[in-house]
Structure formats: structure tokens, C-alpha cells
Amino acid sequence: GLDELATVRSLRYNERTSVDEEKGFDEIALRETGLTVLPGAMSPSEIARCKQLPSYIASQKFIRDVTHTGPRVSPMEFERMRTEVLESTRGRYHRTKFDDQTLNALEEFEHNWMHMVKSYMGEDALIYRSQLQLLMSEPGSATQLFHQDNKRKGLTMIIPLVDVKLDMGPTHLLPGTHLLTKARHDEPATLGILLGRIIQGLGILCGQGGIRGELKAGTAIVYDSRTLHRGLKNRSAHGRPVLVYRYDLREYPPPQAGILHTTWMRSLGYVLSGLSEIANAMN
């Protein structure tokens, strides 16, 4: 079964190396595998507060209208919300613009984990929040393509506002794939070093397999921005609202990748996902 705290299949964490031992954040696992979890990133009261914020309430009303599962909003409100809540793939809605009250509250929550972000990214590094969004995956939402958030080192946190079950389309991550691209342009890039990173990454992936984040509300999945991942199809009858915080280095704003690299990593994700499943079946 899944551990009540680190509720991600096969995901290892070590409280002794955490920024906050009670939360179980494992920086070593994050550096080695490209992901970890942060139980209690948001408390139940903070989640309840979030769901009462104006932008959250307005977004939910808009989606109920669009999906014909709730009352209609006014035509004026509908047209305004169409520019603020965007559908990237079928059934997957993103909001990145917030009213002042909502934005202030979402920024307050960051105090829960900023020490962790700075520790991983570098205490002296110039870090900025490159994205803050409310992501809502509705029933029937389509599976995303594999992708990286950034070709260079960064950090992404996904915090579910409800308990996430496997049929709700959780985030699917491939551990070890953050090693397939460099953290910085000035890193050594000899053939031996590159091959070593690739072999190490493939070893981690085949050893752990793909990770599907079945998370309790408020437990964040934290991953290196280079880690290949995708959102899965929501096969349940319930929506999956999450908050997404992304942090990057000032010198490397996302995505640091062109069409060719993006297409290559997308295809590689499917190949590696298949290999990891074969490796797991053989174990």
C-alpha cells in the first residue's frame, strides 16, 4: 500500500535530511532521482482558505458553466473568464491571473517551503517564481504529452487541493530523467560525463519505474524542472484542482528549449516510460 505521508508509489524519502523533518522533504532524493514529496505543504485550513478565494470560486463557476455541470454565469462574466481560464488540452484548465486578494494569499503559502527551494537551487542563486497557476483537470480531461518544464535546473511544486486517486489523472513522472539535460550551460560536457549521466538516469528509472502521484490534499510533489512528466487522463467523476509553483534561475528562464528539443524529449518520454514498465515486469 501507499505510505500515508509520502503518498507516491515507490517514492523514497528520508526525514533525516529534510528541511523540516516533520514534513519529510528529502533533498537527497530530489537531487538523485529528480523528485520527492512534501507532506503538509499546505494545511487543511490553508486549503479551505484557498477554496474561498475570489479567483478560485470564479474559476469553478466558469468551469461548471463550460462543462454544463452547473448554473450559467452572466455573458459579461463568461467573456471575461474566457481570457483568464485557458483550456490547454481537453478538460484541462489553467489560470495564471489572479485578483489581489487571491495573489496575496497564494504568496503567503510560499513561506511554507521557500527554505527548501533555496537549499536546492543554491542559497546564493538568483531565483524567481517563473509561474504560479491554478490547474483544474476535469472528468474526461485528456492525457498530456511528456515534457520538461525547463531544459535547465529549476523546481516545480504541485499541491493538490483534494485527495488525488489514481483514476483522477495524477501527474506521471519519470525519475532520473532530469540527468538527461545539463543544469547549466557551463557544466562540463565531455562524452564520458554525458554517457555517465544517461546511464545513471536510466538506472534510476528502470529501478523505480514511472511515478504516479496519488497524493493527499496538501501534500506536494516536488520535482526538478528537467524531469519528464505529464498529466494523465482524469477517468473519475471528480475534478482535480491543484496549485502549481515553479521556480527558476534568473539566467535560465523557461523553457530554454526549441521545437526540436521539445519534440525529441516528448518522444523519448514514451520510449523511456515503456522501458521502465518492461524493467518492472521483469523484476
Side-chain angles (χ1 to χ4, degrees):
L2 295 173
D3 188 287
E4 185 176 354
L5 292 178
T7 48
V8 177
R9 182 171 60 86
S10 302
L11 188 58
R12 178 179 62 84
Y13 70 91
N14 181 350
E15 293 185 348
R16 290 176 298 175
T17 62
S18 63
V19 174
D20 183 338
E21 291 185 359
E22 293 182 356
K23 292 188 175 182
F25 171 74
D26 185 351
E27 187 172 333
I28 293 179
L30 180 57
R31 294 186 184 279
E32 291 179 350
T33 70
L35 64 153
T36 186
V37 290
L38 182 60
M42 287 178 63
S43 67
S45 62
E46 288 173 327
I47 293 174
R49 179 187 175 193
C50 181
K51 292 180 178 179
Q52 294 302 314
L53 294 171
S55 290
Y56 183 89
I57 294 173
S59 300
Q60 291 295 319
K61 288 182 177 179
F62 173 73
I63 292 175
R64 299 287 84 78
D65 186 343
V66 171
T67 58
H68 307 292
T69 57
R72 302 293 300 273
V73 300
S74 69
M76 182 178 297
E77 178 71 5
F78 186 88
E79 290 302 317
R80 183 180 69 84
M81 291 299 294
R82 283 180 61 187
T83 65
E84 296 184 5
V85 180
L86 305 179
E87 187 177 20
S88 60
T89 56
R90 187 181 77 250
R92 196 178 302 275
Y93 299 90
H94 306 256
R95 178 164 192 161
T96 58
K97 296 180 180 179
F98 305 98
D99 64 275
D100 289 343
Q101 180 184 346
T102 300
L103 182 60
N104 289 338
L106 297 182
E107 289 179 340
E108 282 182 31
F109 299 150
E110 288 182 291
H111 296 301
N112 295 343
W113 57 76
M114 282 309 298
H115 285 91
M116 174 205 76
V117 174
K118 293 178 181 179
S119 177
Y120 182 71
M121 298 291 287
E123 294 290 346
D124 298 326
L126 296 177
I127 308 166
Y128 77 109
R129 188 184 65 230
S130 56
Q131 187 178 91
L132 169 56
Q133 67 166 306
L134 171 63
L135 169 61
M136 297 155 284
S137 300
E138 293 302 296
S141 61
T143 296
Q144 288 182 309
L145 300 171
F146 277 109
H147 61 281
Q148 296 174 310
D149 288 340
N150 195 339
K151 185 180 177 181
R152 302 298 169 187
K153 182 180 179 179
L155 201 61
T156 301
M157 296 186 59
I158 298 180
I159 310 172
L161 302 178
V162 298
D163 291 348
V164 177
K165 304 300 182 182
L166 290 178
D167 63 349
M168 295 173 69
T171 306
H172 179 204
L173 303 105
L174 303 181
T177 53
H178 67 305
L179 298 172
L180 302 181
T181 53
K182 297 189 299 179
R184 301 171 58 93
H185 287 292
D186 55 6
E187 280 188 326
T190 64
L191 180 60
I193 291 176
L194 291 176
L195 287 176
R197 289 172 62 92
I198 292 173
I199 293 172
Q200 182 183 358
L202 291 177
I204 292 170
L205 177 59
C206 290
Q208 292 197 5
I211 303 297
R212 292 171 174 82
E214 185 178 18
L215 301 167
K216 290 187 177 297
T219 294
I221 189 161
V222 186
Y223 60 90
D224 188 295
S225 299
R226 298 165 291 172
T227 301
L228 283 168
H229 65 282
R230 61 178 175 170
L232 296 174
K233 180 177 181 178
N234 187 344
R235 303 177 185 276
S236 75
H238 307 284
R240 181 177 67 94
V242 302
L243 291 174
V244 181
Y245 292 80
R246 285 172 50 182
Y247 303 94
D248 288 283
L249 299 170
R250 288 280 183 187
E251 57 186 321
Y252 298 122
Q256 292 291 311
I259 295 177
L260 289 178
H261 177 84
T262 300
T263 303
W264 161 243
M265 297 306 290
R266 178 184 303 166
S267 301
L268 184 62
Y270 289 103
V271 173
L272 295 179
S273 179
L275 288 175
S276 70
E277 293 299 327
I278 293 174
N280 282 342
M282 295 175 63
N283 290 336

